């Protein structure tokens, strides 16, 4: 198993072997979270900065827990507490952070490419925790891990991604990751939310979610952002939920062993019916659990931790 | 000073000249052009200083009809002095500068200020372009009569489209009284916002908002229709898409007074230059696809596109070393336009005279610049000497321009201006020191 990267900027460019390495590492680390003492000394003395320039509760918490379970020190920095509100540029903030010699900077940013900009300017490892509409690689990895765990394998699975594809970094990273791992992907949603040229990414497209649901082994629902209505992307939440939301009616045609995923947070009753979010098909909370394991694996792999230190 | 430029290949598309010639220059004017090799009358011209030009190409002074000199208002990006230094280093003897300064060039005072600064710099001639609407706001007509008297050669809200079709109609109608062409920045903002690159496969997987080709094309079509209605000369700035080229081609076939320009980046680069979020490749209109690039090249070849302009848009690192969404649009171009144009010749797309025509005859005709665009007896001696074989690597650090934002850094190119002369005065000289000029 080899993983020689310094940064994790996206799923794009990762090989199948690298993804396998991350997933397998995460599977072996997952068990730590179920111990009485949920901590190993692997990354003792390392510093992880969580630089969240866009609000996020779960990703941030997940990274923080992951770092702490490996005994790294964590520092949080959010847009409201950083100097960005005082007009400091991202580059300046990054250089200042670098001057404090952290080992990893986890960055969430509202603009695509922000982690790439940082990676060109400063030395610490950069982990992309979501950049604009571009990528959310750790989410895609935890989704892949969940699919592999629940379905036994990823190759050959039929994955339907439903909702606002155009504005979703989760959709982009998942499409790239799933295709790399040999799955088939279909996207579904209103045409205004399916980006033109999406077929260049090797996915099927439908505007009828029943079609996607009937085809799928895995249904991945995306959050619809309420302000999209103002951008003339759909007429009303009522119409959206009726025609593009997943509800028990739409699920009637689904395969019996289908699983339902959602990156959260859910708009209950909009893109996902409450009954389904908590129902037997849902693996949404497994995704959250796996998120910690994936982030532990990445910190471990990027910082070149030694396997022996992981032993009990 | 009296000069004899000896033995160079003179390419003057306006006068259909492509010959080895001697050019005699006296008191800022061209005294004579003589084919080589007749016997030189040594006694008559013995007091002329010789510029040996064997193996070099002499063209009418190059004209860049689309630059942003940033002064007044944004002197940290460029000034008229540094901009014209860059111009002459790129072989340009004249530049037309866009009105999006601070304050906007929508009044006589700003035009006069620009001309005053240009006279002080004494390098390339500067031809200001006035605003179509005060403040480039697209809400009313600027005072075209006053602007024309002050010295503007065209009208444009470049940087901003005129979204109001009725205002565009009135602008084209009213401009007729002053014989000013309208240069249109074609962009439907409702379609382009909040786009930051071309809408295509690359924007889709980069997760950047796209600017569809239709944002440009619908406005090109609209403006051509308004041109048909008003018959005022219309010049389409920075054409970037295949359909835009076709719309201009069709308009010309109908005999409408429509002309068009493109910039070197649209025939040298595609949207893929943005991969990696390189802000040096962020411009407006955005870099498009291979098919668009080919169509632009074809449009240049068949004469649909009359002009190659730099769209020189200097920006400081403050505006470029930031997140892609926040980065300013545009690149500097004065010092790379000629070699990138000559690259089309090396690729066999344009002949040498065709390439030169896009930088001389074309802009001179559209802007009606007296004394520019051709070389003739008794005409002013604005000329450019080009070494077509000179190979070099683009190095932004060597740019005279105050800003260095160029995606061409590191490119290996062939052919460069080595001497630039404005009214018989050498304003740039990169020729071998042995020539002792």
């Amino acid at each position: 198993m080899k993983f020689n990267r310094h940064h994790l900027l996206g799923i794009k460019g990762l090989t199948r072997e690298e993804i396998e390495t991350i997933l397998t590492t995460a599977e072996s680390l997952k068990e730590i979270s179920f111990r009485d003492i949920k901590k190993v000394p692997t990354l003792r003395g390392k510093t992880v900065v969580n630089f969240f320039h866009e609000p996020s509760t779960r990703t941030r918490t997940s990274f923080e827990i992951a770092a702490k379970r490996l005994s790294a020190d964590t520092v949080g920095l959010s847009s409201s507490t950083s100097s960005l509100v005082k007009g400091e540029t991202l580059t300046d903030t990054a250089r200042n952070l670098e001057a404090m010699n952290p080992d990893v900077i986890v960055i969430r940013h509202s603009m695509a490419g922000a982690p790439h900009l940082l990676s060109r300017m400063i030395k610490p490892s950069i982990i992309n925790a979501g950049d604009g509409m571009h990528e959310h690689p750790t989410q895609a990895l935890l989704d892949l891990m969940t699919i592999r765990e629940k379905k036994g394998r990823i190759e050959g699975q039929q994955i339907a991604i439903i909702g606002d594809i155009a504005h979703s970094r989760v959709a982009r990273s998942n499409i790239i990751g799933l295709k790399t791992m040999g799955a088939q992907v279909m996207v579904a949603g209103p045409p205004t939310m399916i980006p033109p040229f999406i077929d260049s990414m090797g996915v099927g497209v439908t505007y009828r979610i029943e079609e996607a649901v009937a085809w799928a082994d895995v249904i991945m629902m995306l959050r619809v952002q309420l302000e999209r209505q103002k951008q003339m992307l759909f007429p009303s939440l009522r119409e959206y939920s009726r025609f593009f939301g997943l509800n028990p009616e739409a699920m009637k045609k689904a395969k019996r062993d289908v699983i339902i995923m959602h990156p959260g947070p859910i708009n209950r009753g909009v893109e996902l019916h409450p009954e389904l979010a908590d129902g037997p098909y849902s693996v949404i909370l497994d995704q959250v659990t796996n998120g910690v394991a994936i982030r532990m694996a990445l910190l471990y792999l990027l910082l070149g931790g030694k396997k022996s230190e992981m032993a009990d | 000073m009296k000069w004899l430029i000896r033995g160079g290949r003179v390419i003057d598309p306006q006068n259909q000249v492509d010959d080895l010639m001697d050019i005699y220059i006296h008191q800022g004017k061209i005294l004579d052009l003589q084919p080589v090799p007749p016997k030189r009358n040594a006694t008559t011209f013995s007091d002329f200083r010789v510029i040996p030009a064997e193996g070099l190409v002499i063209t009418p002074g190059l004209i860049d009809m689309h630059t942003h000199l940033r002064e007044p208002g944004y002197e940290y990006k460029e000034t008229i002095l540094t901009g014209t230094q860059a111009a002459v280093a790129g072989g340009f003897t004249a530049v037309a500068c866009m009105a999006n300064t601070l304050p906007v060039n929508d009044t006589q005072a700003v035009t006069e200020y620009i001309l005053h600064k240009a006279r002080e710099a004494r390098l390339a001639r500067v031809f200001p372009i006035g605003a179509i609407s005060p403040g480039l706001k697209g809400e009313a007509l600027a005072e075209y009569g006053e602007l024309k008297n002050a010295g503007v050669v065209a009208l444009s809200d470049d940087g901003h489209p005129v979204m109001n079709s009725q205002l565009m109609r009135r602008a084209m109608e009213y401009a007729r009284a002053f014989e000013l062409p309208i240069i249109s920045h074609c962009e439907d903002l409702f379609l382009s916002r909040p786009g930051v690159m071309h809408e295509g496969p690359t924007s889709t997987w980069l997760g950047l908002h796209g600017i569809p080709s239709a944002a440009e094309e619908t406005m090109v079509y609209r403006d051509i229709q308004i041109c048909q209605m008003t018959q005022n000369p219309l010049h389409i700035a920075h054409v970037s898409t295949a359909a835009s080229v076709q719309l201009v081609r069709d308009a010309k076939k109908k005999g409408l007074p429509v002309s068009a320009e493109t910039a070197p980046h649209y025939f040298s680069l595609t949207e893929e230059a943005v991969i990696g979020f390189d802000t040096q490749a962020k411009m407006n209109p955005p870099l498009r696809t291979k098919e668009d690039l080919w169509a632009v090249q074809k449009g240049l070849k068949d004469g649909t596109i009359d002009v190659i302009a730099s769209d020189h848009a200097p920006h400081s690192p403050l505006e470029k070393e930031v997140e892609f969404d926040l980065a300013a649009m545009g690149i500097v171009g004065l010092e790379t336009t000629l070699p990138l144009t000559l690259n089309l010749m090396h690729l066999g797309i344009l002949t040498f005279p065709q390439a030169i025509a896009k930088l001389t005859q074309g802009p001179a005709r559209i802007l009606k610049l007296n004394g520019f665009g051709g070389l003739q007896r008794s005409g002013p001696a604005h000329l450019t000497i080009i070494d077509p074989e000179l190979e070099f690597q683009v190095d932004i650090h060597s740019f005279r321009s105050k800003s260095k934002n160029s995606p061409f850094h590191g490119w290996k190119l062939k052919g460069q201006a080595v001497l630039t002369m404005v009214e018989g005065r050498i304003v740039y000289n990169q020729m071998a020191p042995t020539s002792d000029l």
Side-chain angles (χ1 to χ4, degrees), chain A residues 55-77:
Chain A
S56 156
T57 307
R58 78 186 59 207
T59 303
R60 188 188 172 132
T61 309
S62 181
F63 266 108
E64 187 144 352
I65 289 175
K68 287 187 165 146
R69 291 208 171 137
L70 295 174
S71 298
D73 297 313
T74 63
V75 181
L77 183 72

Side-chain angles (χ1 to χ4, degrees), chain A residues 12 90-91 95 109 111-114 116-117 120-121 131 133-134 167 172 195-198 200-201, chain B residues 198-209 276-279 318 320-326:
Chain A
K12 180 103 182 168
L90 177 62
T91 317
R95 287 194 179 122
H109 200 282
M111 288 173 195
H116 305 71
L117 177 69
R120 284 196 293 265
M121 302 204 158
D131 62 326
M133 310 185 300
H134 179 221
H167 301 90
R172 278 179 183 77
F197 309 100
I198 187 78
S200 69
M201 296 181 82
Chain B
H198 175 65
E199 180 174 292
T202 310
S203 67
T204 294
W205 69 259
L206 285 179
L208 290 171
H209 283 287
F277 300 94
D278 185 356
T279 57
L318 285 176
K320 282 290 192 182
E321 282 176 15
V322 295
E323 298 87 323
F324 197 88
D325 282 321
L326 298 179

Side-chain angles (χ1 to χ4, degrees), chain B residues 190-202:
Chain B
F190 292 113
L191 280 173
S192 64
R193 281 181 183 155
V196 291
M197 70 170 294
H198 175 65
E199 180 174 292
T202 310

